[in-house]
Amino acid sequence: MMMTPDLNDDSNQASTLATALASLTQANLTQANLIQAPVNNLKRKNFDTDDNETNDDDNHKITVSSLISTTLKSSSNCNNFKNAKSKPLVDQHLQFSGIKTRSQRAKAMLLLKSHVEKADESRPHDDLRNEECKDLIDSLNSEPVSMVHQDWLDAFDKFNAKQKMTALEKLLELCDHTHIKHVHNYIEPKLQRDYISELPRELILYLLTYIRPKDLFKLAQVSVYWNQIANDSILWKNICKKYRINMSILSDKCSVAESDSDAETDEAGSESRAKKLRSNRKTKIKTPCSYQFLNSYNPYKRAYLVDSNVTRNWCTRQLPPGIILKSHDEHVITCLKFDGKRVVSGSDDYTLKVWCAQTGKLLHTLTGHTGGVWASQLKDNIVVSGSTDRSVRVWDIEAGVCVHVLTGHTSTVRCLALDGHVCISGSRDSLLRVWDVETGQCMQVLRGHQAAVRCVCFDGKYVVSGSYDFTIRVWDPFTSDCIHILEGHINRVYSLLFDGSRIVSGSLDTTIIVWDVHSGGIIHKLTGHHSLTSGMQIRGDTLVSGNADSTVKIWSLKTGECLHTLSGCNKHMSAVTCLAFNDKFVVSSSDDGTVKLWNLETGEFIRNLLALDSGGRGGGVWRISMHKNKLVCAVGSRIGVEETKLILLDFDWPSTSQYNQPVISSGGQSRAHTSTRTSGLQQILSS
């Protein structure tokens, strides 16, 4: 099929045709003289600008028609046209006339063809002349096919590399934009090369670990081979390791589904067993478990997608539905524990309440203390509580009954630590007692502190206690021996952390000290806070501390330096009451009525997870407790401006839990949860 040339204006057509006609009729000198002047004129017009071509359009048309009519009147010219079927003769005439490019020659032939056809229609009775013109048309139609000669290709093949380069350069100089574009489209696919597929597979997988995971999903759409590489289990295993993604995130889905089914079964006690099973099966079908669409054959990729979905829930998406657990009337919630399935809250109203984290249902109200509950510990189905009534109680939260009442302290039990069946209690009577929660017996009494014991830790081997006597003591709970007395603070010790080898203590003297539990020496003394350190948490070599000076600091336990201070224009406006953090985020609460989310790695503020309307007017967040991707906030007010309640937020949605409960917005206002969520795949891809 003939390529359409670039000469789209009548001036170029006129010039090309006039030149061709002049060269083809050069045997007739008289006729050539008549044509030569218009030819020269038209050739000059061919190099004019587009503006001049538009103005001379009519003149070109008149010149073309006069040339054609003059030429076709001569029979000798027709013979010349007939002889033009010879390829060399046509080339010679066209080159002589100044037509060199392929597009100009093709355009001249097309224009000549149209005029020959018009001449044929005007003389229908001249059969001989019509036949000659048709022969000429046939020769013109076959012209583009035979333009490139085999002898030219053979000659080019004999060139050396340098000569070939020179020949190609010269050839491209003769081409116009259309031909250059055609050459580009022809060559570009030949220059494309998949270098990745030529590398060893192990090297490919190693290189792809440096590519952002979201780009791997784009690479998977390139080809079948790249799709296989981008879904390789080893690749995604390395990615999960790089981003510190725990594979237990997948097992959590099964446990959540099981707990939901159990909760629904408990609520349907009046139904028959058959109806319960049918109801459970029906519920599972309707449950929008967003993780069933993921590739089951690649668990590491599934883990990344689940983790990515949860991260977006924390950071950018609309805040998840929250369950409001109204409890303890207008009393203060003094302690809060959460294991992912159940929430246990203690209050100065003498009670503890146990809630189902999946349904928000109040399971049990534990009564028996005759004073406010100020300490609690949760382990499996056992809750241990300490009260101002100087007793320690052990509860079975499955049955909701008190198993043991542990007496012996002579003042308020202010702190507890539980490991296995051994519980350590610290009291304002300056003593620590070691209890067996299975038998209810006191195993040891640890004496040595000279003032109230404010905090205690226990890892199953050592007991570490902090006191108002400014000291920290390390004990052997089974022999009651004091191993170390750690002196360094100059004021009361309010908070303690113990990871088995390091002790971290926070004091009213504004300092935080890191100790070696084996030698009793100081590793680091962390300074920077300006008031009481109210809460601390440790994960690996990272320490996060919250202070009454309204700031949160992130420390490196390796170097002892402060990595980030979470403050700035978005900082808390009052004392930090509690904090929690995981591998990515820091969550802090304050008396200003807000719960804030921070980036652990950069220290940047992300957003408010909760902001009470009464914040700044007496409403505050007293406690928070985080378990994986669920967060419980205990809010209220000591002056009655905010109702005492628990707010449970689940950032692992869409999950198997369905809540028909009021939702807490970022402004702290409750609203009915009636919106329906899209599928998990749509949510992941749309973010």
Side-chain angles (χ1 to χ4, degrees):
M1 182 176 182
M2 182 178 295
M3 182 180 296
T4 303
D6 280 345
L7 304 180
N8 296 324
D9 54 88
D10 291 337
S11 64
N12 291 340
Q13 296 175 1
S15 175
T16 304
L17 178 61
T19 306
L21 294 177
S23 60
L24 290 174
T25 59
Q26 61 182 337
N28 191 334
L29 297 178
T30 303
Q31 204 69 23
N33 292 333
L34 293 174
I35 298 176
Q36 188 61 38
V39 166
N40 294 334
N41 182 47
L42 292 173
K43 288 172 65 177
R44 287 194 299 271
K45 292 296 183 179
N46 188 41
F47 298 99
D48 290 342
T49 60
D50 293 339
D51 296 336
N52 293 332
E53 291 169 356
T54 304
N55 296 331
D56 296 337
D57 184 56
D58 295 336
N59 295 332
H60 290 315
K61 291 182 179 180
I62 296 173
T63 304
V64 171
S65 60
S66 62
L67 286 172
I68 292 174
S69 61
T70 303
T71 303
L72 294 180
K73 289 178 181 179
S74 174
S75 59
S76 61
N77 290 343
C78 291
N79 292 331
N80 288 335
F81 289 145
K82 184 176 182 180
N83 294 332
K85 289 189 294 182
S86 173
K87 175 65 173 57
L89 182 58
V90 172
D91 290 343
Q92 180 182 357
H93 291 327
L94 293 177
Q95 292 176 2
F96 179 81
S97 62
I99 298 178
K100 295 182 179 181
T101 66
R102 183 174 179 179
S103 62
Q104 291 174 339
R105 293 165 61 177
K107 192 66 176 181
M109 293 173 184
L110 286 174
L111 194 57
L112 181 59
K113 173 182 173 181
S114 63
H115 284 289
V116 170
E117 290 176 346
K118 291 180 180 179
D120 181 43
E121 293 175 359
S122 64
R123 295 192 300 271
H125 302 291
D126 194 346
D127 297 334
L128 179 59
R129 185 166 296 174
N130 288 341
E131 183 178 356
E132 293 174 350
C133 293
K134 290 179 180 179
D135 293 339
L136 175 60
I137 293 172
D138 294 338
S139 66
L140 294 177
N141 288 335
S142 62
E143 186 68 21
V145 180
S146 60
M147 277 186 177
V148 181
H149 294 285
Q150 185 63 37
D151 55 351
W152 189 92
L153 296 176
D154 294 339
F156 180 81
D157 189 53
K158 295 178 181 179
F159 292 166
N160 58 34
K162 186 175 181 180
Q163 291 174 336
K164 288 182 178 180
M165 295 293 293
T166 304
L168 289 174
E169 291 175 359
K170 296 296 183 181
L171 182 61
L172 290 175
E173 290 177 359
L174 299 176
C175 297
D176 58 15
H177 177 74
T178 302
H179 301 132
I180 297 295
K181 185 176 181 181
H182 173 73
V183 172
H184 174 268
N185 294 335
Y186 180 78
I187 293 178
E188 185 179 24
K190 297 183 180 297
L191 295 177
Q192 295 176 352
R193 187 174 180 181
D194 186 2
Y195 295 96
I196 294 295
S197 61
E198 298 180 5
L199 298 175
R201 189 178 183 90
E202 293 77 9
L203 181 58
I204 296 174
L205 297 177
Y206 175 76
L207 293 175
L208 291 182
T209 56
Y210 291 92
I211 297 178
R212 294 181 302 176
K214 69 177 184 179
D215 292 331
L216 288 176
F217 294 101
K218 299 178 181 178
L219 291 178
Q221 303 176 30
V222 174
S223 64
V224 175
Y225 181 76
W226 280 35
N227 183 273
Q228 295 174 354
I229 291 293
N231 286 285
D232 190 275
S233 295
I234 297 177
L235 171 63
W236 287 99
K237 181 179 180 180
N238 294 333
I239 291 175
C240 289
K241 183 178 180 180
K242 178 180 178 180
Y243 290 95
R244 302 189 301 272
I245 297 175
N246 196 331
M247 292 300 295
S248 62
I249 194 171
L250 296 180
S251 61
D252 294 340
K253 304 295 164 285
C254 298
S255 62
V256 170
E258 291 174 359
S259 60
D260 287 346
S261 299
D262 294 341
E264 292 169 1
T265 302
D266 293 339
E267 292 177 356
S270 61
E271 297 179 350
S272 64
R273 182 173 180 81
K275 289 183 179 180
K276 290 180 183 179
L277 294 176
R278 287 196 299 270
S279 176
N280 289 340
R281 286 195 297 268
K282 185 177 180 181
T283 302
K284 290 181 180 180
I285 293 175
K286 289 185 176 182
T287 295
C289 185
S290 63
Y291 306 103
Q292 296 177 355
F293 69 90
L294 301 176
N295 295 329
S296 59
Y297 62 86
N298 193 337
Y300 299 102
K301 184 178 180 180
R302 292 182 61 215
Y304 173 81
L305 290 174
V306 171
D307 181 80
S308 177
N309 180 66
V310 171
T311 300
R312 292 188 182 98
N313 292 341
W314 277 98
C315 296
T316 59
R317 291 176 179 162
Q318 182 182 2
L319 287 172
I323 304 179
I324 298 177
L325 311 177
K326 296 182 179 181
S327 60
H328 302 293
D329 297 329
E330 300 300 323
H331 292 271
V332 177
I333 297 177
T334 56
C335 51
L336 180 66
K337 298 298 176 182
F338 177 43
D339 65 357
K341 298 180 180 179
R342 289 160 299 199
V343 180
V344 179
S345 60
S347 172
D348 60 0
D349 66 355
Y350 309 169
T351 67
L352 296 99
K353 292 183 181 293
V354 183
W355 311 82
C356 176
Q358 277 70 46
T359 63
K361 178 183 178 181
L362 177 62
L363 301 178
H364 302 289
T365 298
L366 308 180
T367 59
H369 281 296
T370 57
V373 179
W374 283 90
S376 65
Q377 288 292 318
L378 171 63
K379 182 72 173 179
D380 298 329
N381 293 324
I382 297 297
V383 169
V384 182
S385 60
S387 170
T388 58
D389 65 5
R390 300 170 291 180
S391 69
V392 176
R393 287 179 177 258
V394 182
W395 310 84
D396 182 350
I397 57 175
E398 285 292 331
V401 296
C402 179
V403 179
H404 301 291
V405 179
L406 312 179
T407 59
H409 285 294
T410 59
S411 185
T412 299
V413 178
R414 195 63 182 82
C415 54
L416 293 169
L418 179 64
D419 185 272
H421 63 90
V422 178
C423 177
I424 312 296
S425 60
S427 171
R428 287 180 177 172
D429 62 7
S430 75
L431 300 179
L432 295 104
R433 290 181 176 269
V434 183
W435 308 90
D436 186 332
V437 296
E438 292 183 348
T439 62
Q441 296 181 350
C442 180
M443 301 167 60
Q444 297 288 346
V445 178
L446 309 181
R447 306 175 185 272
H449 281 298
Q450 302 302 312
V453 178
R454 181 63 175 79
C455 46
V456 63
C457 296
F458 177 48
D459 69 341
K461 182 178 181 181
Y462 296 113
V463 172
V464 181
S465 59
S467 171
Y468 285 174
D469 63 5
F470 310 168
T471 66
I472 297 102
R473 290 178 179 254
V474 182
W475 312 82
D476 184 337
F478 305 105
T479 63
S480 72
D481 294 336
C482 180
I483 301 174
H484 297 296
I485 300 176
L486 310 180
E487 297 178 330
H489 287 295
I490 58 175
N491 211 325
R492 295 177 177 181
V493 178
Y494 272 85
S495 55
L496 273 181
L497 293 175
F498 179 42
D499 65 357
S501 60
R502 293 169 299 193
I503 301 170
V504 183
S505 59
S507 170
L508 189 60
D509 63 8
T510 74
T511 65
I512 299 173
I513 299 180
V514 183
W515 314 79
D516 188 319
V517 69
H518 302 292
S519 65
I522 296 178
I523 302 176
H524 299 296
K525 191 170 186 177
L526 312 179
T527 59
H529 284 302
H530 303 291
S531 186
L532 168 67
T533 300
S534 54
M536 300 184 297
Q537 277 206 0
I538 184 174
R539 291 175 67 94
D541 292 321
T542 302
L543 171 70
V544 179
S545 61
N547 197 272
D549 62 5
S550 75
T551 64
V552 178
K553 290 182 178 290
I554 302 175
W555 311 83
S556 170
L557 293 182
K558 283 186 177 181
T559 62
E561 64 177 335
C562 179
L563 302 178
H564 303 290
T565 299
L566 312 185
S567 57
C569 60
N570 293 300
K571 74 170 187 176
H572 288 292
M573 304 307 295
S574 186
V576 176
T577 56
C578 197
L579 59 85
F581 79 102
N582 56 22
D583 293 334
K584 298 180 180 180
F585 311 115
V586 176
V587 182
S588 59
S589 64
S590 170
D591 277 335
D592 63 6
T594 63
V595 176
K596 295 181 179 292
L597 181 68
W598 312 81
N599 187 305
L600 175 65
E601 184 176 355
T602 64
E604 296 177 347
F605 171 78
I606 299 177
R607 65 170 172 173
N608 284 333
L609 299 179
L610 183 66
L612 299 177
D613 291 337
S614 60
R617 298 184 292 106
V621 182
W622 294 322
R623 297 284 186 274
I624 62 172
S625 182
M626 183 170 67
H627 184 272
K628 296 183 178 178
N629 295 305
K630 295 182 176 65
L631 179 69
V632 180
C633 308
V635 304
S637 172
R638 290 180 174 86
I639 59 176
V641 297
E642 183 70 37
E643 184 181 18
T644 301
K645 56 181 174 288
L646 300 174
I647 301 174
L648 176 61
L649 302 174
D650 184 1
F651 293 92
D652 198 4
W653 56 264
S655 66
T656 53
S657 300
Q658 294 297 300
Y659 304 134
N660 295 319
Q661 301 287 340
V663 177
I664 295 298
S665 65
S666 58
Q669 297 179 350
S670 62
R671 55 184 172 84
H673 177 54
T674 58
S675 60
T676 58
R677 301 194 180 275
T678 57
S679 68
L681 177 60
Q682 293 175 344
Q683 291 173 352
I684 289 180
L685 297 180
S686 63
S687 298

